[in-house]
Amino acid sequence: MLHTKPTALFDNAIDIDNPIFDTDSYKLSHYKMYAEGVDKSFAYIEPRKAYGDIDEVVFFGLQMELAKLQGNIWTQTALNVAAPELLKYGYDINVKGIQKIIDTYGGRTPVRIDALPEGTVAPVSVPQVRVQTDDPDLVWLSSFLETRLLRAVWYPSTVASISRYGLIEIKKRMLITDGHTEGVEFKFHDFGARGVSSFETAGIGALAHLVNARGTDTSSALIYGRNFYGADTAGFSIPASEHSIMTQLGREGERKMVAKVLEAYPSGLLANVSDSYDHMDLVRNGYGKQFREQILGRDGVFVVRPDSGDPLEIVLDTIAALMESFGYTYTETGYKILPPQVRVIQGDGIGIKEMIEIMDAMMERGYAIGNIAFGMGGGLLQKVNRDMFGYAQKLSAVEIDGVWNDVFKDPITAGGTKTSKKGRLGVLRNDHGAMCTRPMENIPKGYDAMVNVFDTGMITRLQTFDQVRANAAI
């Protein structure tokens, strides 16, 4: 018998897939507030500031939202349901304007959206998206869509930017300690599925990480990658134990469970959590003695995973103990490296800062970065917010009686930190690939980095995940 997932629990439920509800509700009243004679409106989205040392942002995620925005999503049913509900809520609603979208445009969203190619790495303060509305009766649409467009962009772009920065830091150190960067894309693994707010957040955030990396334990990212970017396989994972496996037979039976795990996966990559009771004892006397020959004889890599204690101390102690038991050689640049059958992954308490501190401490000890990989959960997919890069959408121009007029804000109390850009904006890409903001009319034909991606309910340009990765390549 097939079971379908219920969409609601009560008979008076309302379909949430309704574009009229997908905005900040106060925006519903704005249609009465535009100045007389406004015929067109123009808005842009940008990350306004650097986050710590990260001053470049990977643009990613808009295509997933455009997939939901395409087609005749403004329906008579949507309007008939939304209007009475919103009036009860206390807000006005532009019934006449929405009815025009339904009747004149067949329910398709009458805006033009241009954007940087996804995967583009650009400095902060460079616009990534622009939205223009050309119907005098619907000039409010550019800002009405801010809620969903900004949400669609800031989160995946922030995750992708943090992820890319982390991989750059790993890569720099690998070049020093290992003399190469082979396998660097698997050195930064996503552990975040259980720590995020929803299945959708997990899929979008994890896919953003996979723009740069290849390792993930968030399987929904694979589906989002396939459905929205045509990716055959966006990322990879490996068999790995957890505490529910290792503690089944209690403290005295932990070694039996190690044997069971090794028996279950005699080859290939395999990770085993080691801190259920006494991590260092298991490392030294379990892996290093009882299972030493079995691990060295495997056709694959056995990955030791600490999961408690001070991350900096436990990583150094674990590598030292493994080298005592399994030995080590030297890389071409003179750093110690474990046998290829043994590695370490640290996923507990890891953020970008902790990851860098651990790598730097390893280098001080003479350990190659090739010995370790990192897993990151909440620090990658959940402990992010819109303010990290200052993401904002702002109206920057309106056409009044056929003449475009600049629109901007410059609050005295913000000391210039919230001054918005003015006019219709483009992104000039020079012959060296550098990008900077310019008025659209001042950019020579063919040099505007922004391209049209959506027009009146239709996606006009699709990118594959391979193209996104190529744009973001480190």
Side-chain angles (χ1 to χ4, degrees):
M1 179 179 178
L2 293 176
H3 295 272
T4 58
K5 183 178 179 180
T7 57
L9 297 176
F10 293 91
D11 292 337
N12 63 343
I14 290 176
D15 185 5
I16 61 173
D17 190 18
N18 185 327
I20 303 171
F21 292 125
D22 199 355
T23 190
D24 296 296
S25 53
Y26 66 87
K27 288 180 177 291
L28 293 163
S29 61
H30 287 176
Y31 74 100
K32 289 182 177 179
M33 301 182 187
Y34 277 78
E36 293 297 324
V38 173
D39 300 318
K40 299 178 182 179
S41 61
F42 180 101
Y44 70 95
I45 294 175
E46 70 168 344
R48 292 177 292 185
K49 64 179 184 179
Y51 173 60
D53 293 332
I54 310 176
D55 58 3
E56 290 186 323
V57 179
V58 181
F59 174 59
F60 178 67
L62 179 63
Q63 189 163 292
M64 290 183 274
E65 188 64 24
L66 296 183
K68 303 172 188 176
L69 197 59
Q70 69 177 338
N72 55 338
I73 63 172
W74 302 77
T75 65
Q76 195 65 54
T77 299
L79 177 58
N80 293 345
V81 168
E85 286 299 318
L86 290 167
L87 289 172
K88 285 192 298 182
Y89 184 37
Y91 279 92
D92 193 4
I93 178 172
N94 187 0
V95 173
K96 183 179 178 181
I98 295 172
Q99 192 67 57
K100 181 174 184 178
I101 297 175
I102 297 168
D103 295 339
T104 303
Y105 297 98
R108 293 182 296 275
T109 308
V111 299
R112 175 186 171 92
I113 300 175
D114 300 336
L116 298 176
E118 296 202 22
T120 295
V121 181
V124 295
S125 195
V126 168
Q128 297 175 335
V129 182
R130 62 189 178 211
V131 187
Q132 183 167 319
T133 307
D134 292 340
D135 189 317
D137 296 324
L138 303 173
V139 290
W140 49 271
L141 260 179
S142 296
S143 292
F144 181 92
L145 294 173
E146 173 187 355
T147 309
R148 64 188 299 170
L149 292 179
L150 192 57
R151 185 176 59 216
V153 168
W154 82 255
Y155 174 66
S157 296
T158 298
V159 173
S161 302
I162 292 171
S163 165
R164 186 174 187 272
Y165 179 78
L167 277 165
I168 287 172
E169 294 300 306
I170 296 173
K171 186 173 183 178
K172 287 193 301 188
R173 289 161 177 80
M174 275 192 76
L175 280 170
I176 294 170
T177 66
D178 297 68
H180 64 81
T181 60
E182 182 180 352
V184 68
E185 65 272 19
F186 290 99
K187 291 289 185 184
F188 189 175
H189 202 83
D190 160 35
F191 283 179
R194 73 186 63 179
V196 295
S197 59
S198 69
F199 180 84
E200 183 180 36
T201 305
I204 292 172
L207 187 63
H209 171 61
L210 291 176
V211 169
N212 313 290
R214 298 297 184 273
T216 185
D217 280 347
T218 306
S219 56
S220 54
L222 309 182
I223 308 306
Y224 275 68
R226 179 182 294 271
N227 290 358
F228 296 107
Y229 292 91
D232 182 38
T233 306
F236 302 90
S237 188
I238 66 172
S241 70
E242 64 176 16
H243 294 109
S244 69
I245 300 297
M246 302 310 297
T247 59
Q248 290 177 61
L249 302 179
R251 183 184 298 269
E252 300 304 318
E254 184 181 30
R255 302 281 181 88
K256 289 183 180 179
M257 294 313 301
V258 174
K260 174 68 175 177
V261 169
L262 286 168
E263 178 187 357
Y265 294 95
S267 62
L269 284 158
L270 170 65
N272 197 61
V273 67
S274 309
D275 76 321
S276 297
Y277 305 105
D278 188 337
H279 169 74
M280 293 308 301
D281 177 67
L282 183 58
V283 170
R284 291 191 178 102
N285 300 311
Y287 305 148
K289 292 181 180 177
Q290 183 177 344
F291 300 105
R292 181 180 185 277
E293 297 308 316
Q294 188 175 357
I295 290 172
L296 288 175
R298 292 182 80 250
D299 180 18
V301 183
F302 183 77
V303 185
V304 177
R305 180 165 75 90
D307 198 46
S308 58
D310 181 272
L312 184 60
E313 293 180 8
I314 203 68
V315 166
L316 296 176
D317 292 347
T318 299
I319 293 174
L322 289 171
M323 286 184 173
E324 288 176 11
S325 299
F326 290 93
Y328 58 86
T329 56
Y330 288 93
T331 67
E332 62 184 68
T333 55
Y335 287 78
K336 295 177 183 178
I337 186 81
L338 284 160
Q341 298 92 336
V342 186
R343 291 293 183 265
V344 176
I345 187 168
Q346 178 65 31
D348 178 60
I350 293 296
I352 295 294
K353 174 177 174 287
E354 291 76 16
M355 188 165 69
I356 291 173
E357 288 176 349
I358 289 170
M359 289 191 293
D360 288 347
M362 286 176 60
M363 293 171 68
E364 289 179 9
R365 288 274 191 99
Y367 299 152
I369 304 305
N371 289 300
I372 195 168
F374 296 94
M376 195 178 296
L380 179 64
L381 300 190
Q382 186 68 16
K383 294 179 182 179
V384 296
N385 59 67
R386 184 170 66 91
D387 291 334
M388 292 171 80
F389 288 105
Y391 259 97
Q393 175 175 316
K394 296 299 175 185
L395 189 74
S396 61
V398 292
E399 185 184 85
I400 300 177
D401 298 328
V403 178
W404 280 103
N405 293 265
D406 292 347
V407 175
F408 70 101
K409 72 170 189 175
D410 187 15
I412 293 175
T413 50
T417 61
K418 287 194 171 184
T419 302
S420 63
K421 292 177 170 59
K422 61 180 72 172
R424 292 192 301 155
L425 305 170
V427 178
L428 176 65
R429 186 195 297 271
N430 65 25
D431 293 335
H432 302 288
M435 286 177 280
C436 57
T437 309
R438 291 287 185 273
M440 285 177 61
E441 57 270 22
N442 292 351
I443 300 177
K445 186 176 180 180
Y447 283 84
D448 192 342
M450 285 193 175
V451 295
N452 182 243
V453 294
F454 184 90
D455 197 347
T456 316
M458 294 182 60
I459 296 176
T460 58
R461 184 177 187 268
L462 279 175
Q463 286 183 256
T464 67
F465 203 55
D466 285 343
Q467 290 171 335
V468 174
R469 278 177 165 166
N471 290 336
I474 298 171

